[in-house]
Every structure is written in structure tokens, then in C-alpha cells.
Amino acid sequence: MKSALITGITGQDGAYLAKLLTGKGYSVYGTYRRLSTPNLWRLQDQGVFGKVHLIPADLGDFGSLGEALEVSEPDEIYHLAAQSFVEASFETPVATGDATGLATTRILEAIRQHCPDARFYFAATSEMFGDAGSTLGRPLKETDPFHPMSPYASAKLYGYWLTKTYREAYNFFAVNGILFNHESPLRGLEFVTRKITNEVAKISLRISKKLRLGNLEASRDWGYAPEYVEAMWRMLQSRKPGDYIVATGKSHTVGEFVEKAFEVVGLDWRKHVSVDKRFFRPLDVPTLTGNPSKAKKALGWAPKVVFDDLVSLMVKTEVDRWRRWKKGERFPWDAPNYPSESRILTRTLRM
Ligand code: NAP
Ligand code: G4F
């Protein structure tokens, strides 16, 4: 049985990847950090809460990362943990630089010491291209120039180069997945797609009245997260390590997303949306569209869920969640609590 370690298993991609890998028969380990409010609802949502081993680790803590590797003895490592919200990276640039950038050195060094033969996936990002897409006027390829436009993007670019360095210097099987935006009902509420679909559902059920947004002109290449974690796995199964763009090849503006989301519940967006300066960033990538040809050819990966399907499935899920809430049901994200075993097993939670 293969063993996989997922850093950031409590996040959107971590939960979907844990589901994919447990389904493939892997022994799945994931790192989580102590929070004042446990954040395990996504693992519960995906039905893997009791099937994965949770290991306490923090990106700032070298020893805990080494211990995670020792405990899991991984064949594959998916390094997904990061401060992933671009807007927050302008507010906490140093912390973002540490968690999203420098921590890549910590995990790669820990791998060099504990398990240099393990295969390594780094969660790179389309944000590294910045406005290269606007300049070139076509979907971006792996060979296009980078121009990061946020502390987050700069930190990821550091991780991207370091991943390449360890591949070249130490012969690591280390890959960069340059993933464009991917969304789902498990997205954090601060990201624009989930913010929109959550508010649209509340407005349609008369729980809320107004949706306040920032830059409606920005456009993004939005795909469906469960399909993107499949691409991560395929990268680690390939014969040789490389860097791959994962995208749909089509982009839409935030305004188009809003319009489509209100359409799903039969409302006119103009009556409910206002633009609020607070949600503008000091600098914003105007447009991002990716060309996934290399991933299609080399990995046999292609997206199936297109923009309209994605918006519709996200809105419908939120409507269902809020309907249940109105009936007095608790949110799934209120429910999870650390299992009783966690009080016994101080280092590893085997649940
Ligand atoms: P996410 O939902 O924000 O999950 C991030 C994960 O990192 C969470 O499990 C979080 O733990 C963990 N984490 C953050 N800081 C940590 C720290 N100091 N120590 C330990 N763990 C920490 O992000 P995602 O959407 O799943 O994305 C996964 C990765 O892909 C991220 O690296 C992101 O930057 C990158 N990426 C995402 C996209 C996208 O569109 N989703 C596109 C390109 C690249 P908590 O749950 O405790 O907060
Ligand atoms: O949903 P967003 O916050 O995602 P963003 O900045 O594109 O970053 C996401 O995708 C990256 C891949 O390209 C990942 F690397 C990263 O980790 C993250 O997952 O914002 C999308 C766009 C931006 O242009 C933003 O300015 O939506 C615009 N926007 C307009 N109003 C808003 C809002 N974004 C947010 N979060 N909230 C708003 O009210």
C-alpha cells in the first residue's frame, strides 16, 4: 500500500485529494495545525475524517515537518499548505513570505534528510504570471515569463524555483503544478466565487439583502477543484518530473460570475450588488487564462466541468445549505470537533 502525506489537508484541495487518494487505496496522512476552533469540516464533508491520519505540524516549525515525514514514511508528498489568500498577503506580507515561500525550503530540506526518494508536489499558481497574460494576449503556457503582483505570488515563485532547484541539484522527483483558480463548495468564504454563491443563496432565501464586492472587471480561469487534484496525482505518477499548467483555457470576469450566479436563482444582480472600495487590492492581476495543452498531452488530463456548471453547482449547494440552516440544522462547519482519541494520542491522531 502506498503512503501519501498531504500538508494542508484541512483546506479545499487537501480534502478532495484525501478523498481521491483514500479511494485509490493509499494510506493517507495529513498535517493540521492547532486552531482555537477546529477546522475539520471539509474532511467530514468528504467522508474521510475517520480514514486519514492527522499529524500536528506547522509550516514555521521545522521539527514538526520532519516528524510528519518520519511518521508517514511517504511515497508521495503533496505540499498544499500555505497562506493562500492573495488579499491577506498584502496585510501580512512577512508571514505570507514565511508560510507560502520559505516553508518550501523547510519541507524540502526535511525531505532531503528523511525520505529523498519520495515524490514531491508543490502547489504553484497562475498568480506567478501576474499581468503576463494581458501583455501576451493569449492563454499562458509553462514557458511564459513570470511577473508576480502580490506578496503571495512572489512567495509562491520562490517555492516554484526552489522545487526546480531540488530537482536539479539532488535529483528529486519534484513537480510544480501551476494551477489556475479552482473552486467548489469547499472553498474558503473569503474567495470571490464562494463569497458570491453564498450571498446569492442567502439573498434568494431572504436571509441577506446585499452583496458587496471589489473589482468586477478582473477575469479568472475558473475550474472545478476535484478535477484539479486528479491532475496533481497524475503529475506524481508520470515517468519524469516536470511543471504543468492546469486550467480550463477559458476565463470570465467577476461580473460575469455574479450575473450567472443570480441567474441560477432567477434574480437580477443589478438590484443586489454594490461595489465597495474596501475589497479592492493595492494591485490586482487583471486577467488569467491558462493553456493546459501540456497536461492534456503528457498526463491525459482534461477539465470536464465548465464555467456555467461550476457556478450552478456552487449556488445550488449554498441554497441547500441555507435551507437546512433555516430548518434549524447546524452547519457542517460548526459540527466537527476533535475526536476523543486526540486527547490520548498527543502526536498523531489515528481516527
Ligand atoms: P486553502 O483552502 O486555503 O488551504 C490551505 C491549507 O494550508 C489549509 O489546510 C491551512 O490550514 C494550511 N495552512 C496555512 N497556513 C499554515 C501553517 N502556518 N501551518 C500549517 N498549515 C497551514 O487552499 P487551497 O485552495 O486548498 O489551495 C491549496 C494550495 O494550492 C495552496 O498552497 C494554494 O496557495 C495553492 N493554489 C490554490 C489555487 C486555488 O485556486 N485554490 C490555485 C493555485 C494554487 P488551516 O485549515 O488550519 O487554515
Ligand atoms: O477569489 P480571489 O480572492 O482569488 P485570487 O486572488 O485569484 O487567488 C486565488 O487563485 C490563485 C490562482 O490564480 C491562487 F493561487 C490563490 O491561492 C487563490 O486561490 O479573487 C479573484 C478576483 C480578484 O481579481 C479579486 O480582486 O476577484 C476579485 N474580487 C472582486 N471582489 C474579489 C472581490 N475577491 C475577493 N476575494 N473578494 C471580493 O469581494
Side-chain angles (χ1 to χ4, degrees), residues 25-43:
Y26 279 70
S27 184
V28 177
Y29 294 78
T31 66
Y32 78 100
R33 55 180 171 161
R34 188 265 163 187
L35 298 171
S36 62
T37 307
N39 177 25
L40 301 165
W41 69 273
R42 293 183 178 94
L43 296 175

Side-chain angles (χ1 to χ4, degrees), residues 169-335:
Y170 304 119
N171 212 20
F172 270 28
F173 193 108
V175 308
N176 282 298
I178 309 173
L179 271 54
F180 283 60
N181 299 50
H182 45 282
E183 317 294 316
S184 75
L186 300 191
R187 222 359 173 167
L189 272 167
E190 68 275 41
F191 297 94
V192 79
T193 58
R194 179 90 196 289
K195 178 176 173 180
I196 295 168
T197 51
N198 181 53
E199 281 305 315
V200 165
K202 285 164 76 178
I203 291 167
S204 77
L205 296 170
R206 298 175 195 279
I207 298 166
S208 166
K209 287 202 174 109
K210 219 48 208 155
L211 167 59
R212 291 180 179 79
L213 291 166
N215 182 7
L216 300 182
E217 306 299 319
S219 91
R220 292 289 183 271
D221 180 333
W222 280 298
Y224 185 41
E227 296 183 346
Y228 283 45
V229 301
E230 164 87 26
M232 296 176 187
W233 175 75
R234 288 187 184 218
M235 284 178 216
L236 291 196
Q237 312 314 308
S238 55
R239 215 164 39 81
K240 281 198 316 202
D243 306 321
Y244 301 90
I245 279 181
V246 179
T248 70
K250 299 242 174 336
S251 60
H252 296 267
T253 64
V254 172
E256 285 167 344
F257 195 107
V258 169
E259 190 176 348
K260 183 76 213 164
F262 275 98
E263 219 177 276
V264 175
V265 292
L267 292 175
D268 180 357
W269 70 276
R270 289 175 206 85
K271 295 186 179 148
H272 303 281
V273 176
S274 66
V275 170
D276 188 327
K277 288 264 170 289
R278 282 178 307 163
F279 299 112
F280 280 78
R281 297 169 186 183
L283 195 60
D284 199 9
V285 175
T287 181
L288 282 171
T289 317
N291 176 346
S293 302
K294 183 179 172 189
K296 276 187 185 161
K297 198 160 169 240
L299 308 175
W301 179 89
K304 294 185 194 77
V305 174
V306 295
F307 178 73
D308 283 9
D309 307 331
L310 176 69
V311 181
S312 174
L313 83 83
M314 286 183 72
V315 171
K316 285 178 179 161
T317 306
E318 297 302 343
V319 170
D320 180 56
R321 283 174 175 166
W322 283 104
R323 276 210 180 108
R324 288 188 325 202
W325 177 82
K326 275 185 109 174
K327 285 186 191 149
E329 231 182 87
R330 291 175 79 201
F331 277 128
W333 48 94
D334 285 333

Side-chain angles (χ1 to χ4, degrees), residues 10-13 33 39 59 80-82 84 152 156 179 182:
T10 55
Q12 171 190 256
D13 292 3
R33 55 180 171 161
N39 177 25
L59 289 172
L80 309 184
S84 74
Y152 166 79
K156 280 288 186 186
L179 271 54
H182 45 282

Side-chain angles (χ1 to χ4, degrees), residues 83 124 136 230 337 347:
Q83 192 300 96
L136 294 165
E230 164 87 26
N337 234 311
R347 298 302 300 183

